[in-house]
Amino acid sequence: MREFIRKNGIIVVIAALLVAVIAVSSIVAGGSDAAGGAVNTLVRPVRGFMSGVVSHFERLYGYMYGYDILETENGELKERIATLEQEYREYDELAAENERLKKLLGFSEEHASYEMTQAAVLSQTASSWQSAFTISRGSASGLKEGCCVITESGFVIGRVTSVSSSSSVVTTLLDTTSSIGAVIWDTGETGVLSGDFELMKRGRAKLAYLPDSCTLSPGDTVITSGAGGVFPRGLVLGTVERVETSASGTSDWALISPSADLYNLEYVYVITSFGEE
Amino acid sequence: MLRKHKKIILLILLYVPLILICFILQAMVFSELPLGGAKPLILPVASMSVAMHGGRVRGGVFGLFAGILSDVALGSPTILFTLLLTCSGIIVGVLFETVLARGFPSYLLCCAAVLIIAAFCQMFGLLFFRGQSTSAILTTAVFQTIYSLFFTVPMYLLTRPLGRRV
């Protein structure tokens, strides 16, 4: 016995300490079954380690086995997203076109005598000194120099100033060469809407040659007078932003904000002929 | 003789894409990207670069076609740029063959001079006949010149190999 203790004493002491620690810890843990608790305590780290290893291998297996399926599924989903995005874009375009055509229909019904051609805006002018753009219709579509160009809502954009067989140049009402006879919708007073270089850079035009007794106020609508025969009467040019007096102090002029959004045009409508209404 | 013809064909093959790219950039790309209300003139810058690296003949011929395309791009029926770029191509070519040293600073100077002349010609009518605001016109001219000068570096680098090797 003494021989046994001398040889295995340390092991026996460690085993006894281990048993004691397990017993104490299971009592502290409050387990009713002290033996079961002790075994559980002893096995818990091993079980945790084994569980981790198994779950890792499970994940690895699942990844290897399911990768092809996931890849296929991912590809299908990407295709589906692309199709939906395309459909969404088409829907957006159709909705915008529908809106545009509705407005045009309303305008056409109001002005049945107008003959109009739709044209796409191709590019803005490369010149820093003009306000003009190129459209996709030319003399082959019946366009002529001087034709009036409007939006689908009937807001004046400008006039055709140069025509080739398949494209034309439209000079906007902001350009310094532009001069349009105008009438104030509310008061009936007349003036001339003309381009001014400084105002052109700010997207505005000038309404000059107003009568002395002019009673303009901001927000008044300015329409075409029809004088000169280039523009039909009654098309909307813009609204009065403010009224100013000339440097000499002898006459008033008004700053006009065009009703047409001249910087975001996609399609325009060229009035090729208009009868008396 | 055959060698000379081959050289001319090669030059055409090299300069035609260059002039077309410049035209597309000026008329369709940068016309949508104004800076301070001004749009750049790229064809005159390319024309000066060809005149410097290639000499008066290439400068004149390139200037002639660049001028025609500029007039088309700017939508004006005048022949302002056709005349201006042809003459300046020849003059700048002669200057670089005789008195000026070939290098970026002198090229930049020539470009600035041609762009200022172009801006002056463009604003002449507005300034003297239509009574428009002088400050707005001058501001646009300055912006147009500076914006156009941004293109001197790529044009210089692009046309240098064409002038030296062909």
Side-chain angles (χ1 to χ4, degrees):
Chain A
M1 185 65 178
R2 185 172 286 177
E3 189 65 21
F4 175 77
I5 289 170
R6 199 171 55 198
K7 279 184 180 175
N8 303 300
I10 294 167
I11 296 166
V12 169
V13 169
I14 289 169
L17 276 172
L18 204 60
V19 168
V21 167
I22 290 162
V24 168
S25 67
S26 68
I27 289 161
V28 170
S32 55
D33 185 355
V39 171
N40 272 338
T41 308
L42 192 67
V43 169
R44 195 184 297 152
V46 182
R47 192 189 283 161
F49 172 74
M50 288 309 290
S51 168
V53 170
V54 167
S55 68
H56 176 74
F57 276 103
E58 270 178 0
R59 274 204 307 273
L60 196 66
Y61 175 76
Y63 177 75
M64 287 166 71
Y65 179 74
Y67 182 80
D68 287 345
I69 299 167
L70 285 173
E71 196 179 24
T72 315
E73 200 177 330
N74 190 30
E76 283 171 3
L77 286 171
K78 276 182 180 170
E79 272 178 32
R80 181 91 184 113
I81 288 169
T83 313
L84 285 171
E85 279 180 348
Q86 176 68 23
E87 281 174 5
Y88 182 72
R89 273 196 297 272
E90 281 172 8
Y91 168 78
D92 252 13
E93 280 171 22
L94 284 172
E97 191 178 0
N98 188 30
E99 190 62 29
R100 202 167 54 237
L101 291 173
K102 263 187 194 171
K103 285 180 184 171
L104 183 66
L105 184 65
F107 181 78
S108 300
E109 281 172 355
E110 279 176 33
H111 306 275
S113 61
Y114 292 4
E115 280 180 27
M116 288 187 285
T117 305
Q118 180 182 277
V121 175
L122 297 180
S123 64
Q124 292 291 324
T125 178
S127 173
S128 310
W129 310 92
Q130 294 173 315
S131 176
F133 55 86
T134 308
I135 58 171
S136 63
R137 300 280 180 161
S139 56
S141 306
L143 269 65
K144 294 188 289 283
E145 275 188 29
C147 282
C148 172
V149 183
I150 57 169
T151 65
E152 64 274 9
S153 308
F155 300 147
V156 175
I157 293 169
R159 63 193 162 85
V160 175
T161 47
S162 167
V163 185
S164 68
S165 64
S166 59
S167 68
S168 306
V169 175
V170 175
T171 301
T172 75
L173 52 86
L174 302 181
D175 193 80
T176 53
T177 58
S178 171
S179 187
I180 305 168
V183 176
I184 313 303
W185 171 263
D186 308 278
T187 62
E189 291 161 327
T190 57
V192 176
L193 185 87
S194 53
D196 178 274
F197 189 75
E198 193 176 4
L199 298 177
M200 182 181 92
K201 297 286 173 190
R202 289 157 46 196
R204 300 288 183 271
K206 187 178 185 177
L207 182 68
Y209 302 108
L210 292 165
D212 294 338
S213 57
C214 172
T215 53
L216 270 181
S217 56
D220 284 353
T221 305
V222 183
I223 59 169
T224 52
S225 67
V230 175
F231 294 90
R233 187 183 166 82
L235 296 177
V236 178
L237 289 163
T239 50
V240 175
E241 209 167 273
R242 64 169 187 268
V243 184
E244 294 192 4
T245 306
S246 63
S248 59
T250 53
S251 60
D252 288 341
W253 63 275
L255 186 69
I256 304 297
S257 172
S259 294
D261 184 358
L262 299 171
Y263 299 105
N264 293 301
L265 295 167
E266 277 185 66
Y267 292 94
V268 296
Y269 299 86
V270 184
I271 301 175
T272 50
S273 80
F274 56 93
E276 290 298 318
E277 292 188 333
Chain B
M1 192 69 178
L2 194 68
R3 204 172 165 185
K4 198 180 170 186
H5 280 133
K6 274 186 181 173
K7 194 179 169 184
I8 290 168
I9 291 166
L10 184 63
L11 279 172
I12 291 168
L13 287 175
L14 289 170
Y15 284 126
V16 166
L18 175 71
I19 205 168
L20 287 178
I21 289 167
C22 291
F23 174 70
I24 289 165
L25 286 175
Q26 181 174 314
M28 292 163 201
V29 180
F30 286 95
S31 62
E32 310 284 340
L33 302 166
L35 183 75
K39 295 163 186 177
L41 299 173
I42 301 170
L43 283 161
V45 173
S47 180
M48 290 308 99
S49 189
V50 169
M52 181 184 72
H53 293 300
R56 60 182 170 216
V57 177
R58 289 189 203 179
V61 175
F62 193 93
L64 172 70
F65 288 104
I68 293 168
L69 288 177
S70 288
D71 280 329
V72 170
L74 297 169
S76 57
T78 58
I79 53 164
L80 167 68
F81 278 90
T82 308
L83 277 174
L84 178 70
L85 296 190
T86 309
C87 295
S88 56
I90 295 167
I91 293 166
V92 168
V94 170
L95 285 175
F96 276 106
E97 281 169 357
T98 52
V99 288
L100 285 176
R102 280 194 176 88
F104 186 74
S106 40
Y107 162 61
L108 192 69
L109 213 65
C110 288
C111 278
V114 169
L115 289 168
I116 289 167
I117 294 169
F120 181 76
C121 293
Q122 285 181 301
M123 70 186 185
F124 190 82
L126 288 171
L127 203 58
F128 297 108
F129 296 112
R130 284 190 220 144
Q132 300 293 328
S133 156
T134 311
S135 63
I137 290 171
L138 290 177
T139 307
T140 305
V142 169
F143 269 103
Q144 179 180 280
T145 307
I146 292 170
Y147 197 3
S148 306
L149 286 174
F150 283 146
F151 295 89
T152 51
V153 177
M155 285 304 153
Y156 180 82
L157 297 173
L158 205 66
T159 53
R160 191 167 57 170
L162 303 182
R164 284 183 180 177
R165 290 177 192 167
V166 187

